[in-house]
Short mmCIF file of all heavy atoms in Angstrom, two decimals:
data_model
loop_
_atom_site.label_atom_id
_atom_site.label_comp_id
_atom_site.label_asym_id
_atom_site.label_seq_id
_atom_site.Cartn_x
_atom_site.Cartn_y
_atom_site.Cartn_z
N ARG A 247 166.97 7.01 -97.91
CA ARG A 247 167.76 7.83 -96.95
C ARG A 247 167.87 7.06 -95.64
O ARG A 247 166.97 6.34 -95.23
CB ARG A 247 167.14 9.20 -96.70
CG ARG A 247 167.29 10.13 -97.90
CD ARG A 247 166.78 11.51 -97.56
NE ARG A 247 165.31 11.57 -97.46
CZ ARG A 247 164.48 11.78 -98.52
NH1 ARG A 247 164.98 11.91 -99.72
NH2 ARG A 247 163.20 11.85 -98.33
N GLY A 342 156.40 1.70 -105.91
CA GLY A 342 156.35 3.15 -105.85
C GLY A 342 155.65 3.71 -104.58
O GLY A 342 155.31 4.90 -104.49
N VAL A 343 155.41 2.87 -103.62
CA VAL A 343 154.86 3.30 -102.35
C VAL A 343 155.97 3.59 -101.37
O VAL A 343 156.95 2.82 -101.30
CB VAL A 343 153.89 2.27 -101.73
CG1 VAL A 343 153.30 2.78 -100.42
CG2 VAL A 343 152.78 1.92 -102.70
N HIS A 344 155.87 4.71 -100.65
CA HIS A 344 156.97 5.11 -99.75
C HIS A 344 156.65 4.86 -98.28
O HIS A 344 155.49 4.99 -97.88
CB HIS A 344 157.29 6.58 -99.96
CG HIS A 344 157.89 6.89 -101.30
ND1 HIS A 344 157.12 7.05 -102.43
CD2 HIS A 344 159.20 7.07 -101.67
CE1 HIS A 344 157.94 7.32 -103.47
NE2 HIS A 344 159.15 7.34 -103.03
N VAL A 346 158.05 6.45 -94.65
CA VAL A 346 158.82 7.60 -94.15
C VAL A 346 158.84 7.65 -92.62
O VAL A 346 157.79 7.52 -91.97
CB VAL A 346 158.25 8.93 -94.67
CG1 VAL A 346 159.09 10.11 -94.16
CG2 VAL A 346 158.18 8.95 -96.18
N ASP A 351 163.37 11.71 -90.96
CA ASP A 351 163.67 12.10 -92.33
C ASP A 351 163.68 13.60 -92.66
O ASP A 351 164.51 14.05 -93.41
CB ASP A 351 162.67 11.38 -93.28
CG ASP A 351 163.08 11.50 -94.77
OD1 ASP A 351 164.22 11.08 -95.07
OD2 ASP A 351 162.30 12.10 -95.55
N LEU A 355 166.71 15.31 -94.58
CA LEU A 355 166.48 16.00 -95.86
C LEU A 355 166.95 17.45 -95.83
O LEU A 355 167.64 17.90 -96.75
CB LEU A 355 164.99 15.96 -96.20
CG LEU A 355 164.52 16.22 -97.59
CD1 LEU A 355 165.22 15.36 -98.61
CD2 LEU A 355 163.00 16.05 -97.69
N TRP A 359 169.92 19.31 -98.13
CA TRP A 359 169.75 20.54 -98.95
C TRP A 359 170.81 21.55 -98.59
O TRP A 359 171.45 22.15 -99.43
CB TRP A 359 168.34 21.12 -98.63
CG TRP A 359 167.21 20.33 -99.21
CD1 TRP A 359 167.25 19.41 -100.19
CD2 TRP A 359 165.84 20.39 -98.78
NE1 TRP A 359 166.01 18.85 -100.40
CE2 TRP A 359 165.12 19.46 -99.55
CE3 TRP A 359 165.16 21.14 -97.79
CZ2 TRP A 359 163.74 19.26 -99.40
CZ3 TRP A 359 163.76 20.92 -97.65
CH2 TRP A 359 163.10 20.02 -98.44
N LEU A 367 164.61 21.34 -102.54
CA LEU A 367 163.30 20.60 -102.73
C LEU A 367 163.48 19.24 -103.42
O LEU A 367 162.50 18.56 -103.73
CB LEU A 367 162.28 21.46 -103.49
CG LEU A 367 161.84 22.77 -102.75
CD1 LEU A 367 160.76 23.48 -103.58
CD2 LEU A 367 161.35 22.43 -101.35
N GLY A 368 164.72 18.86 -103.72
CA GLY A 368 164.90 17.48 -104.23
C GLY A 368 164.72 16.50 -103.08
O GLY A 368 164.87 16.81 -101.94
N GLY A 369 164.33 15.28 -103.47
CA GLY A 369 164.12 14.24 -102.48
C GLY A 369 162.80 14.27 -101.77
O GLY A 369 162.59 13.57 -100.77
N THR A 370 161.85 15.08 -102.23
CA THR A 370 160.54 15.21 -101.58
C THR A 370 159.51 14.25 -102.11
O THR A 370 158.36 14.24 -101.62
CB THR A 370 160.00 16.64 -101.75
OG1 THR A 370 159.90 16.96 -103.14
CG2 THR A 370 160.90 17.66 -101.08
N ARG A 371 159.87 13.41 -103.05
CA ARG A 371 158.91 12.50 -103.64
C ARG A 371 158.19 11.64 -102.62
O ARG A 371 157.00 11.41 -102.72
CB ARG A 371 159.58 11.56 -104.66
CG ARG A 371 158.60 10.69 -105.46
CD ARG A 371 159.29 9.94 -106.58
NE ARG A 371 158.34 9.09 -107.27
CZ ARG A 371 157.52 9.49 -108.26
NH1 ARG A 371 157.56 10.77 -108.62
NH2 ARG A 371 156.71 8.67 -108.84
N PRO A 372 158.87 11.14 -101.54
CA PRO A 372 158.13 10.33 -100.56
C PRO A 372 156.96 11.07 -99.93
O PRO A 372 156.00 10.39 -99.45
CB PRO A 372 159.22 10.02 -99.49
CG PRO A 372 160.49 10.05 -100.27
CD PRO A 372 160.33 11.13 -101.26
N TYR A 373 156.98 12.41 -99.93
CA TYR A 373 155.92 13.18 -99.30
C TYR A 373 154.82 13.56 -100.31
O TYR A 373 153.74 14.01 -99.92
CB TYR A 373 156.48 14.43 -98.68
CG TYR A 373 157.47 14.17 -97.55
CD1 TYR A 373 158.84 14.02 -97.86
CD2 TYR A 373 157.07 14.00 -96.25
CE1 TYR A 373 159.76 13.73 -96.89
CE2 TYR A 373 158.00 13.74 -95.26
CZ TYR A 373 159.33 13.60 -95.55
OH TYR A 373 160.22 13.32 -94.58
N LEU A 374 155.10 13.33 -101.57
CA LEU A 374 154.16 13.78 -102.61
C LEU A 374 153.49 12.66 -103.33
O LEU A 374 152.65 12.91 -104.15
CB LEU A 374 154.94 14.65 -103.62
CG LEU A 374 155.66 15.87 -103.10
CD1 LEU A 374 156.45 16.57 -104.19
CD2 LEU A 374 154.69 16.85 -102.46
N SER A 375 153.84 11.41 -103.00
CA SER A 375 153.23 10.25 -103.69
C SER A 375 152.59 9.35 -102.60
O SER A 375 152.51 9.70 -101.43
CB SER A 375 154.33 9.49 -104.47
OG SER A 375 155.34 9.07 -103.57
N SER A 376 152.19 8.18 -103.00
CA SER A 376 151.55 7.25 -102.08
C SER A 376 152.58 6.89 -100.98
O SER A 376 153.73 6.57 -101.26
CB SER A 376 151.15 5.96 -102.84
OG SER A 376 150.59 5.05 -101.95
N ARG A 377 152.17 6.96 -99.73
CA ARG A 377 153.13 6.78 -98.62
C ARG A 377 152.41 6.30 -97.38
O ARG A 377 151.18 6.37 -97.24
CB ARG A 377 153.78 8.13 -98.30
CG ARG A 377 152.84 9.17 -97.76
CD ARG A 377 153.43 10.56 -97.77
NE ARG A 377 152.43 11.52 -97.31
CZ ARG A 377 151.46 12.05 -98.13
NH1 ARG A 377 151.39 11.65 -99.41
NH2 ARG A 377 150.61 12.91 -97.65
N VAL A 378 153.23 5.86 -96.47
CA VAL A 378 152.81 5.52 -95.13
C VAL A 378 153.89 5.94 -94.21
O VAL A 378 155.10 5.86 -94.53
CB VAL A 378 152.52 3.95 -95.00
CG1 VAL A 378 153.81 3.21 -95.25
CG2 VAL A 378 151.90 3.63 -93.65
N PHE A 379 153.52 6.43 -93.04
CA PHE A 379 154.51 6.92 -92.07
C PHE A 379 154.85 5.85 -91.03
O PHE A 379 154.07 4.97 -90.74
CB PHE A 379 154.03 8.21 -91.35
CG PHE A 379 153.91 9.39 -92.28
CD1 PHE A 379 152.72 9.85 -92.72
CD2 PHE A 379 155.08 10.07 -92.66
CE1 PHE A 379 152.60 10.95 -93.54
CE2 PHE A 379 155.04 11.15 -93.51
CZ PHE A 379 153.77 11.60 -93.96
#
Side-chain angles (χ1 to χ4, degrees):
R247 287 186 287 274
V343 180
H344 292 82
V346 180
D351 191 58
L355 196 54
W359 290 340
L367 296 183
T370 57
R371 187 174 179 83
Y373 298 89
L374 303 176
S375 58
S376 179
R377 67 194 175 279
V378 63
F379 291 105

